[in-house]
Amino acid sequence: MNRMMIIPVTVATGAALCVAALGATVTDLGPWYQALAKPDWNPPDIVFPMGWTIIYALITVAGITAWRAAPTPAAAEWVLGLFALNGFLNISWSLIFFRLQRPDWAFYELVLLWVSILALIVYCGRFSRIAAVLLAPYLGWVTFAGTLNWAVVQLNGPFG
């Protein structure tokens, strides 16, 4: 591996693994979740970890690509900041939905997550079309998750 790639690859991989691990830790598919009414088009539970694994791999490569393509150190810092904000929002959704058992609040938080992904795509796309393309499946995945989240709210509310 090129010496110039060691730091971006290490940081991006470590960050993605931390976000994935924290998200998995706060995700509880126990009795409360199993008792929720879900739409007929809800995928089997096994689809989600498989999907997230692919998404996190794409996010990692997009982060490395955008960071390396950033035209200035300030732009690289913005890339890191936007990815950090996105990771925080990603974990927060799982915490709100599963631990607080508030799919209604989680849906509104997911809107912020969706906007953060769009911001990543737009910002990174200014200097790395590849990074923007790699993030597009993430936006699609979260759009699907948001639709599913909203359906759960409609089928089960009110919460609290």
Side-chain angles (χ1 to χ4, degrees):
M1 177 184 305
N2 179 334
R3 290 183 62 180
M4 295 300 292
M5 290 294 290
I6 292 173
I7 292 175
V9 169
T10 302
V11 170
T13 302
L17 288 172
C18 285
V19 170
L22 286 169
T25 300
V26 298
T27 299
D28 181 2
L29 301 181
W32 173 82
Y33 176 76
Q34 296 304 323
L36 289 173
K38 298 173 195 78
D40 295 339
W41 46 270
N42 185 65
D45 290 342
I46 190 65
V47 170
F48 294 99
M50 291 185 321
W52 276 116
T53 299
I54 294 165
I55 294 298
Y56 282 127
L58 293 172
I59 292 168
T60 302
V61 175
I64 294 165
T65 304
W67 189 8
R68 300 256 314 139
T72 65
E77 288 178 13
W78 271 97
V79 167
L80 293 176
L82 288 171
F83 273 96
L85 173 63
N86 178 265
F88 171 79
L89 292 170
N90 189 307
I91 294 164
S92 296
W93 181 87
S94 295
L95 183 66
I96 295 166
F97 189 99
F98 292 104
R99 292 297 174 167
L100 298 181
Q101 299 180 352
R102 293 301 304 250
D104 50 347
W105 294 351
F107 175 78
Y108 295 108
E109 193 279 347
L110 187 134
V111 172
L112 297 175
L113 174 60
W114 192 92
V115 169
S116 79
I117 299 166
L118 186 60
L120 276 169
I121 290 171
V122 170
Y123 186 76
C124 295
R126 292 172 44 199
F127 45 84
S128 175
R129 188 165 286 195
I130 293 170
V133 169
L134 290 169
L135 290 166
Y138 183 24
L139 187 66
W141 182 261
V142 170
T143 300
F144 174 75
T147 305
L148 182 57
N149 188 158
W150 183 250
V152 167
V153 169
Q154 295 302 303
L155 291 170
N156 295 279
F159 294 92

